């Protein structure tokens, strides 16, 4: 496996433009010492994907978006200790690496968690950024959660909505 399919953009066009997003074939990235190569089974789309696409012009080169993903580890870097091939994982990627909207994704093991067995890949992929957003609001005391600690739990689907 040397290439993979991905969804990318080359310039920040309106989403209604047929060229706003395109299917591309890209090389599979090399893994670093703490990296996992994950076969992506599911991703979710977040408002940050729209903001990144609108505010960043990759100059005609394909840029893959996506942060949240769930999948299966297919290979590990030399210094990986937390996961092994075959493990099911989920995570929110980082802005400084290509996104998760691809068949394979390289991610640092230190920001990955084991996928809960009770969740499907799609359910697990829907959690990372919304869960991080909600946790941050509860632990920093920002937003409506500041008024009552008992209100710190809400549906993860509402975490990024500004409502608790």
């Amino acid at each position: 496996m040397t290439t993979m399919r991905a969804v990318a953009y080359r310039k920040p066009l309106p989403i209604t433009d047929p060229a706003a997003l395109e299917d591309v074939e890209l090389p599979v990235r090399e893994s670093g010492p703490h990296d996992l190569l994950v076969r992506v089974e599911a991703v979710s789309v977040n408002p940050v994907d729209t903001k990144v696409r609108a505010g960043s012009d990759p100059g005609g080169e394909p840029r893959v978006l996506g942060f949240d993903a769930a999948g299966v580890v297919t290979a590990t870097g030399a210094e990986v200790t937390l996961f092994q091939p075959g493990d099911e994982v989920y995570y929110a990627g980082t802005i400084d690496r290509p996104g998760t909207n691809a068949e394979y994704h390289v991610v640092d093991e230190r920001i990955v968690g084991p996928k809960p067995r009770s969740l499907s890949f799609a359910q697990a992929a829907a959690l990372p950024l919304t869960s991080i957003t909600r946790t941050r609001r509860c632990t920093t005391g920002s937003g409506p959660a500041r008024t009552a600690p008992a209100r710190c739990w809400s549906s993860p689907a509402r975490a990024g909505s500004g409502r608790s």
Side-chain angles (χ1 to χ4, degrees):
M1 158 193 55
T2 58
T3 63
M4 64 180 178
R5 292 177 298 166
V7 176
Y9 77 104
R10 294 178 188 272
K11 53 186 166 179
L13 300 169
I15 198 63
T16 55
D17 189 304
L21 298 171
E22 60 183 83
D23 293 326
V24 295
E25 190 86 13
L26 296 171
V28 175
R29 286 194 60 205
E30 292 290 321
S31 299
H34 285 281
D35 289 339
L36 307 174
L37 178 61
V38 176
R39 183 182 69 240
V40 176
E41 298 290 336
V43 298
S44 66
V45 178
N46 291 287
V48 70
D49 295 305
T50 302
K51 290 177 185 177
V52 169
R53 190 177 63 79
S56 174
D57 187 344
E61 294 297 316
R63 179 169 181 193
V64 179
L65 292 170
F67 292 91
D68 293 349
V72 178
V73 176
T74 60
T76 61
E79 297 178 27
V80 167
T81 60
L82 303 173
F83 298 97
Q84 60 188 6
D87 287 348
E88 295 181 351
V89 297
Y90 76 130
Y91 55 92
T94 63
I95 192 83
D96 61 344
R97 290 188 173 199
T100 59
N101 295 341
E103 284 183 289
Y104 290 89
H105 187 248
V106 174
V107 62
D108 189 307
E109 71 166 331
R110 296 168 288 193
I111 62 168
V112 174
K115 182 185 79 62
R117 284 181 257 153
S118 62
L119 299 180
S120 69
F121 283 107
Q123 291 168 324
L127 290 175
L129 281 178
T130 55
S131 298
I132 291 167
T133 300
R134 188 59 183 173
T135 300
R136 172 162 269 165
R137 288 182 70 200
C138 287
T139 59
T140 63
S142 64
R146 175 181 15 186
T147 59
R151 294 182 62 197
C152 278
W153 187 91
S154 71
S155 167
R158 295 180 64 179
S161 70
R163 295 180 249 155
S164 56

